[in-house]
Amino acid sequence: MTLKTLDSCSLVITGIFASFLLVACQPSEEVGGSDMPVSDTSSMDASVAMPSEAITTFTTEHLASKSSFYIGGEYVGDPPVMGGQMYVDVWEPNNITQPYPIVLFHGNGQTGVGWQQTPDGRPGWAYYLLEQGYVLYMVDYPARGRSAYLPGGVHGDLGIRTAAQLQTIWTNVDEMGDFPLNDNHTQWPGEGKPGDPVFDEFIKTQVQFAGQSTTLARHAAIELLQEIGPVILLTHSQGGGVGFGVTDGAPGLVKALITVEPGVPQIGRVSTSQVSYTGAPANAWGPVNYPLTYDPAVSDPSELNTYLEEEADRSGEVPCWLQEEPAKQLVNFLDVPILSISADGTYHRVFDACIPKWLNQAGAQTDFFRLEEVGISGNGHMMQLELNSDDIIEFIHEWIREKVE
């Protein structure tokens, strides 16, 4: 009986409490009978959990999903450790509107971070490409960034650029540069020297580089393409050499190759201050210093019969090394559209015309643009970080739309 009495009381109390909640939850007259309650976001806006104003964040409105993984690598040494693996960021847009993903290869001393954000706090090229509907794969080369470096000589010696070196070649060339077009460089954000907040942020992104890094990257990248299928390669500087090797080593899987001021020229090294060849050898196989697939076949670079042009196309540029005719053909490049671009405030301009000439003579389809000829001027070698970087990636995207089916 006692239990029955308690149950009855509980039902009464529960009913009264529920009625109270229903009344309390009715919309007030002040909100005009709205179906949705009005939330107060002032506490959220002031939350101490939010990043400070000094930390730049970007909208992810075009990003559906993202992940990261490693490709390549093998056990080495005794006891064994893993080496040669390459870190990969993958971004998937809300709407995949492009037929092929883009794989991005960075330059020397850089990582995949350079595609995502500029040192003055603007979205990098990755965000623009994501908005255009490309799936993106951004790597850190083996022995670089988030990919392990093995000490003890396995991955080669380490180097890193000094503040003075960065200023001389990339950020403060109007004062410290020593090449024909250094006065043209106007698009770097800030003063480009230590103490300037943009430069200080930029130098923090610079990392060590190892001698074996790009060789390992080439092998890992070929494995990546075998995993994900046909792609477009977007390369910068040192990444150009990786891109050439991947195009040759993964025939049929590269649908287009974009080279932003790639590597160094074929056959001979160049002094960009003297605008002349130094006499030191470089890239004996053409655009790279390792074997490529030529027809007729080449087993040693001495089989490439070459000559130096009598004069350069323009003042401030060197003449180029080319093959004697008939030129041997780069058979795995024949059906790959290639874009090569060069800025008008860069030391690279001294030799940037040469690799496209070699590629075209060897049967490739290379479009070479001096950027001022398409209305883009003032840039240096790190153009993807500069004030008009959006103009450059838009030009690249339009070229892809025209050339890639």
Side-chain angles (χ1 to χ4, degrees):
M1 181 178 294
T2 303
L3 290 174
K4 184 175 180 180
T5 303
L6 289 174
D7 287 344
S8 301
C9 292
S10 297
L11 289 172
V12 172
I13 294 171
T14 301
I16 294 172
F17 184 63
S19 299
F20 173 77
L21 288 177
L22 288 171
V23 172
C25 291
Q26 295 302 309
S28 66
E29 295 181 0
E30 284 76 5
V31 296
S34 169
D35 292 332
M36 297 294 292
V38 176
S39 60
D40 181 7
T41 60
S42 60
S43 61
M44 183 180 296
D45 292 340
S47 171
V48 295
M50 296 181 68
S52 74
E53 293 182 359
I55 299 174
T56 303
T57 60
F58 305 112
T59 177
T60 56
E61 60 180 314
H62 301 293
L63 179 64
S65 61
K66 62 175 293 188
S67 185
S68 62
F69 62 96
Y70 286 84
I71 194 78
E74 61 182 357
Y75 286 101
V76 296
D78 186 17
V81 295
M82 177 64 68
Q85 67 272 27
M86 184 166 70
Y87 175 88
V88 186
D89 263 332
V90 55
W91 288 9
E92 179 185 346
N94 286 324
N95 296 307
I96 301 176
T97 60
Q98 306 300 332
Y100 304 109
I102 295 181
V103 178
L104 298 99
F105 295 147
H106 55 72
N108 197 19
Q110 316 305 307
T111 67
V113 169
W115 303 114
Q116 299 176 17
Q117 182 171 334
T118 68
D120 60 333
R122 291 173 291 114
W125 282 2
Y127 284 91
Y128 177 89
L129 294 170
L130 192 75
E131 186 175 355
Q132 310 313 311
Y134 294 98
V135 174
L136 304 178
Y137 295 87
M138 295 166 280
V139 309
D140 288 1
Y141 297 153
R144 182 90 58 88
R146 289 162 287 189
S147 301
Y149 168 78
L150 300 187
V154 177
H155 286 164
D157 294 334
L158 291 176
I160 193 167
R161 290 188 176 97
T162 66
Q165 289 172 328
L166 296 174
Q167 293 178 80
T168 301
I169 59 175
W170 291 343
T171 68
N172 188 23
V173 301
D174 56 337
E175 291 184 12
M176 298 179 62
D178 186 19
F179 51 88
L181 299 180
N182 56 262
D183 289 340
N184 290 350
H185 188 217
T186 60
Q187 294 289 352
W188 181 262
E191 298 179 0
K193 61 182 71 175
D196 176 79
V198 176
F199 180 86
D200 291 347
E201 188 67 26
F202 171 64
I203 198 171
K204 292 174 185 178
T205 69
Q206 301 302 288
V207 299
Q208 74 287 347
F209 40 88
Q212 293 299 311
S213 187
T214 54
T215 299
L216 296 167
R218 178 161 39 95
H219 298 311
I222 291 172
E223 187 173 333
L224 175 64
L225 268 59
Q226 292 169 343
E227 175 74 21
I228 66 177
V231 303
I232 296 167
L233 300 182
L234 173 51
T235 73
H236 174 246
S237 194
Q238 184 186 59
V242 178
F244 294 137
V246 172
T247 301
D248 187 64
L253 293 180
V254 176
K255 296 302 181 180
L257 171 61
I258 296 98
T259 61
V260 179
E261 300 194 353
V264 296
Q266 62 270 23
I267 311 302
R269 291 195 175 276
V270 169
S271 166
T272 55
S273 61
Q274 300 297 316
V275 193
S276 62
Y277 286 91
T278 65
N283 288 352
W285 288 86
V288 294
N289 60 1
Y290 51 81
L292 295 176
T293 307
Y294 283 94
D295 183 27
V298 174
S299 59
D300 187 272
S302 63
E303 298 171 23
L304 293 168
N305 298 317
T306 61
Y307 72 96
L308 183 63
E309 291 179 309
E310 292 185 2
E311 59 183 28
D313 290 344
R314 300 190 178 194
S315 174
E317 300 180 12
V318 293
C320 301
W321 286 95
L322 298 173
Q323 295 186 68
E324 298 280 2
E325 296 290 353
K328 297 180 185 295
Q329 302 294 284
L330 286 165
V331 293
N332 291 334
F333 287 70
L334 300 183
D335 297 322
V336 180
I338 300 172
L339 171 65
S340 184
I341 62 175
S342 178
D344 70 343
T346 173
Y347 66 99
H348 255 253
R349 174 60 66 83
V350 173
F351 53 79
D352 269 342
C354 291
I355 288 180
K357 282 187 176 183
W358 181 281
L359 293 174
N360 283 339
Q361 189 190 30
Q365 309 165 41
T366 309
D367 294 330
F368 173 60
F369 289 96
R370 297 170 177 87
L371 283 179
E372 70 273 17
E373 297 174 345
V374 294
I376 301 174
S377 62
N379 292 103
H381 186 56
M382 298 299 288
M383 62 186 76
Q384 71 272 30
L385 304 179
E386 298 190 318
L387 295 173
N388 61 346
S389 57
D390 284 353
D391 296 336
I392 300 169
I393 192 59
E394 181 180 1
F395 172 76
I396 291 171
H397 167 60
E398 291 300 326
W399 180 89
I400 294 173
R401 289 183 60 189
E402 178 183 344
K403 298 290 184 176
V404 179
E405 298 180 358

